[in-house]
Amino acid sequence: MTVLSKISKKEIINELDNILSGVSLDRGNLLCVLESLVGKFGYLNDTMAVEVGRRFSMDPNEVYSVASFYAFLPVKKSGKYKIRVCRTISCKLKNADGIVKAIEEEIGVKFGNTTKDMRFTLERANCLGMCDKAPAMLINDKVYTELTPEKAKEIIKSYKNK
Amino acid sequence: MPAAGFILEKIKQGEALKKAFEINRAEITDIIKDSGLKGRGGAGFPTGLKMYLCGAAADTVKYVVCNADEGEPGTFKDRVILETIPEKVFEGMTITAYVIGSREGIVYLRGEYAYLKSELENVLKEMRKNNMLGENILGKGFSFDIRIALGAGAYVCGEETALIESLEGKRGEAKNKPPFPVSSGLFGHPTLVSNVETFCNIPHIVDKGSLWFKNMGSGKSTGTKLISVSGDVKKPGVYEITFGMKVKDLLKLAGAEETKAVDIGGASGIIIPELQFEREISFEDIPTGGSIIVFDKTRKMADIMENFMEFFLDESCGQCTPCREGTKYFVDAVEKIKNRKITEQDLKNLRDISDCMKITSKCGLGQASTNAFISILDNFKDELLS
């Protein structure tokens, strides 16, 4: 995945061809295709909704409607790395707020926002199922547990040059 | 504790499946029915009955779906199962498929557990190689395969009709029941949806019989339960208990000290004070999908309420009014409590609204969303009003 300020239609079409080479155009595969696009580009935009709709014989609005339902299918511009800090009670008891604060310091934007270079988006997530190793966060698909503010900062640093 | 712990132990793969192939389908359904096994995801529907209903449905296409959308706050036992003994889950699904006559199984894995997907697919590949999945399994003429579908971060998709919508490539909005999935589920075909842990029990019951299973537990709660313990304890983790264990005994095992309150069942569960730690974890007393969160004496109940109500406000899908508006109303109420502006009349109104949400919300999310709030109100009212 690359950091892209603007995604061209050609890139989207190429990627979609790529994804669909091994996938049939059944509606049941829609989520999996949208997940792959998010994996590649970091979020879904209008062109993607139109192109996916064309392939699946769906109205682009319906594609958008489905995507917008799911927290992990962002429909607005979002960073290459999505940092999702668990906000639910077991993590909260173990200083999840302190983790968010440390990350905000490290990337220079507040929770809910994306860095100017489109590298990081900081979000809160509901229970990640890591309560025995709280506090926890996800960076894209990777999970980090038993965090301390210092540890969280170190992890973020390691993503700055990726 | 787990005198009878077996769920997380490895088994000789394929043994139970071989045994199942030697028994006729109706007999396996009877064994599961007789064992008293109930769904381990929280709702506790009798698994044998589900098998019977789905098996009896007349259709050439049927699905077996494993609900691995473990999203209830404080629950992580399905993650541990999938990390340690996924092959047992798949074998349980295969036996189930054989019984009901299904050729396709799907594991709906929550998006938060995406990192487990490739390893699970490796296990499936290995099982295909050993002819435990795929065409003509173990040469017995039965064909079945399993694929993994990834969710995308929506708690409500743990509700079975919402999960099915999501598998169909739609918004994960719950549907009215009936029809139930066992008669009309995925793409309109009969579908048996069960929790990860439930499928894990099936190979054991087929192998050792229903009597062995019934001998564990208490009353109508047979077998064991995996409990995820977190919060203010020295030893957080997954504990396998036999049903009927007292809350206080579990607290002791997990190394809880100076405990003020215990949440049983996550955000949609209940919160009990010390006086009730004698109560039992079972379908008859306090049922749970497996979440126990412990709070020590330094914790404020209003903070817990706030966290849970914000959770529901965030996760409510918004399609039905009682849940969409009700969760917002309760978030506002917590703020009032925290600002010491709540009145007795407010609390009375909240109870009425909670009752209304319970009756009129479309799915379990809205129906259960005020449980924690109301139980805190019942048990810690003085603290809230002080």
Side-chain angles (χ1 to χ4, degrees):
Chain A
M1 191 170 72
T2 43
V3 178
L4 296 161
S5 51
K6 198 165 185 319
I7 309 165
S8 75
K9 189 171 165 184
K10 195 164 165 259
E11 275 175 287
I12 291 168
I13 289 174
N14 284 345
E15 185 57 26
L16 210 47
D17 285 341
N18 221 348
I19 295 168
L20 289 172
S21 67
V23 179
S24 69
L25 288 172
D26 299 329
R27 175 74 185 256
N29 288 327
L30 179 66
L31 241 62
C32 146
V33 169
L34 296 176
E35 280 158 359
S36 302
L37 283 171
V38 170
K40 169 79 182 177
F41 298 112
Y43 62 99
L44 300 165
N45 65 15
D46 294 355
T47 316
M48 293 180 212
V50 171
E51 290 305 320
V52 169
R54 207 193 302 279
R55 310 287 177 109
F56 280 87
S57 306
M58 285 168 67
D59 192 289
N61 287 311
E62 202 181 345
V63 177
Y64 177 87
S65 158
V66 171
S68 64
F69 183 85
Y70 296 95
F72 288 7
L73 297 176
V75 287
K76 57 179 190 189
K77 245 184 176 182
S78 159
K80 178 179 174 183
Y81 297 113
K82 258 145 301 263
I83 309 166
R84 296 189 169 103
V85 183
C86 181
R87 64 167 289 281
T88 308
I89 193 80
S90 298
C91 281
K92 206 177 162 75
L93 296 178
K94 308 283 176 195
N95 193 27
D97 291 342
I99 305 302
V100 171
K101 208 167 151 246
I103 297 173
E104 283 175 344
E105 280 170 23
E106 187 58 40
I107 65 174
V109 295
K110 290 276 174 203
F111 141 75
N113 292 295
T114 300
T115 55
K116 268 202 188 112
D117 64 359
M118 296 298 291
R119 186 169 286 274
F120 296 109
T121 298
L122 177 59
E123 295 174 355
R124 294 208 195 198
N126 288 322
C127 190
L128 298 178
M130 290 291 156
C131 329
D132 52 338
K133 299 173 192 165
M137 68 173 173
L138 283 175
I139 300 183
N140 293 351
D141 284 349
K142 209 164 159 23
V143 66
Y144 295 91
T145 56
E146 292 171 327
L147 297 170
T148 59
E150 298 72 33
K151 202 170 148 187
K153 281 187 176 184
E154 284 308 310
I155 293 164
I156 299 300
K157 275 193 187 114
S158 74
Y159 276 86
K160 283 190 171 168
N161 300 313
K162 268 191 189 173
Chain B
M1 133 108 186
F6 62 90
I7 290 285
L8 291 174
E9 268 168 26
K10 291 228 180 275
I11 49 168
K12 194 155 176 245
Q13 218 190 323
E15 289 294 299
L17 186 59
K18 272 182 211 152
K19 206 159 181 179
F21 284 148
E22 284 159 21
I23 318 172
N24 76 47
R25 296 174 156 94
E27 218 172 307
I28 301 175
T29 309
D30 285 342
I31 294 170
I32 303 295
K33 263 191 192 167
D34 185 57
S35 75
L37 175 65
K38 288 178 176 173
R40 298 304 197 230
F45 190 84
T47 308
L49 181 57
K50 210 184 252 188
M51 271 185 174
Y52 170 75
L53 292 170
C54 205
D59 198 329
T60 49
V61 178
K62 294 179 188 179
Y63 296 101
V64 173
V65 174
C66 174
N67 184 345
D69 194 51
E70 180 178 54
E72 190 62 54
T75 316
F76 47 88
K77 48 111 188 156
D78 291 342
R79 183 201 90 218
V80 173
I81 290 176
L82 294 171
E83 281 171 352
T84 52
I85 41 141
E87 62 283 352
K88 201 189 283 185
V89 181
F90 300 148
E91 189 164 337
M93 289 176 73
T94 310
I95 294 170
T96 306
Y98 168 69
V99 172
I100 66 163
S102 160
R103 289 180 56 96
E104 190 179 348
I106 304 160
V107 176
Y108 186 88
L109 183 69
R110 66 190 304 234
E112 290 83 346
Y113 293 171
Y115 63 94
L116 293 173
K117 192 176 175 222
S118 63
E119 188 46 42
L120 293 176
E121 279 171 342
N122 287 341
V123 174
L124 290 173
K125 231 179 261 168
E126 193 61 29
M127 285 177 75
R128 275 179 214 121
K129 220 167 76 188
N130 297 331
N131 196 216
M132 305 259 208
L133 276 179
E135 294 298 317
N136 193 14
I137 295 173
L138 301 173
K140 299 289 179 186
F142 170 69
S143 304
F144 176 70
D145 212 333
I146 298 173
R147 66 182 168 91
I148 315 279
L150 204 56
Y155 167 76
V156 73
C157 288
E159 199 281 338
E160 60 180 2
T161 61
L163 185 155
I164 287 169
E165 290 287 291
S166 181
L167 280 177
E168 290 178 352
K170 299 177 190 158
R171 294 164 66 85
E173 290 176 353
K175 292 205 294 191
N176 285 328
K177 295 193 252 191
F180 292 93
V182 284
S183 55
S184 176
L186 188 58
F187 302 115
H189 297 292
T191 304
L192 187 146
V193 187
S194 272
N195 172 263
V196 176
E197 185 184 349
T198 314
F199 282 119
C200 270
N201 277 285
I202 289 171
H204 290 282
I205 298 171
V206 168
D207 190 37
K208 296 198 176 115
S210 55
L211 195 63
W212 164 80
F213 192 77
K214 276 195 290 191
N215 277 335
M216 292 176 284
S218 67
K220 286 185 178 153
S221 306
T222 55
T224 66
K225 182 81 193 82
L226 292 188
I227 305 283
S228 322
V229 183
S230 65
D232 296 319
V233 293
K234 287 207 182 86
K235 291 176 279 180
V238 172
Y239 292 81
E240 183 171 1
I241 65 162
T242 47
F243 278 110
M245 181 181 256
K246 286 188 164 69
V247 173
K248 68 165 191 195
D249 293 332
L250 182 58
L251 289 176
K252 208 166 166 189
L253 276 178
E257 279 168 12
E258 295 285 305
T259 304
K260 174 179 177 181
V262 176
D263 169 77
I264 301 170
S268 52
I270 58 163
I271 295 174
I272 57 169
E274 203 173 346
L275 271 172
Q276 296 183 32
F277 290 173
E278 287 286 333
R279 290 178 68 182
E280 292 175 1
I281 298 164
S282 68
F283 291 107
E284 289 83 7
D285 191 358
I286 312 180
T288 170
S291 164
I292 297 255
I293 308 169
V294 180
F295 304 103
D296 70 19
K297 295 201 163 112
T298 65
R299 308 297 181 182
K300 292 196 177 70
M301 301 318 286
D303 290 338
I304 300 164
M305 271 181 163
E306 181 181 41
N307 193 273
F308 283 167
M309 286 321 303
E310 282 176 352
F311 169 79
F312 283 116
L313 178 64
D314 199 30
E315 293 290 355
S316 170
C317 83
Q319 65 162 326
C320 76
T321 311
C323 176
R324 182 185 63 241
E325 300 300 319
T327 46
K328 176 76 178 78
Y329 193 87
F330 273 83
V331 167
D332 293 344
V334 178
E335 202 187 330
K336 264 187 169 176
I337 290 172
K338 291 189 104 174
N339 292 332
R340 308 268 171 249
K341 287 197 176 127
I342 203 92
T343 63
E344 285 282 356
Q345 184 59 42
D346 288 335
L347 295 178
K348 201 179 153 293
N349 293 346
L350 284 162
R351 282 185 188 276
D352 289 345
I353 290 167
S354 165
D355 289 343
C356 171
M357 289 167 74
K358 226 179 246 321
I359 299 164
T360 58
S361 292
K362 195 169 180 179
C363 81
L365 190 152
Q367 289 159 14
S369 61
T370 60
N371 285 355
F373 186 102
I374 297 295
S375 63
I376 291 177
L377 190 54
D378 286 340
N379 297 318
F380 299 92
K381 193 174 167 191
D382 293 346
E383 179 186 321
L384 296 180
L385 291 174
S386 67

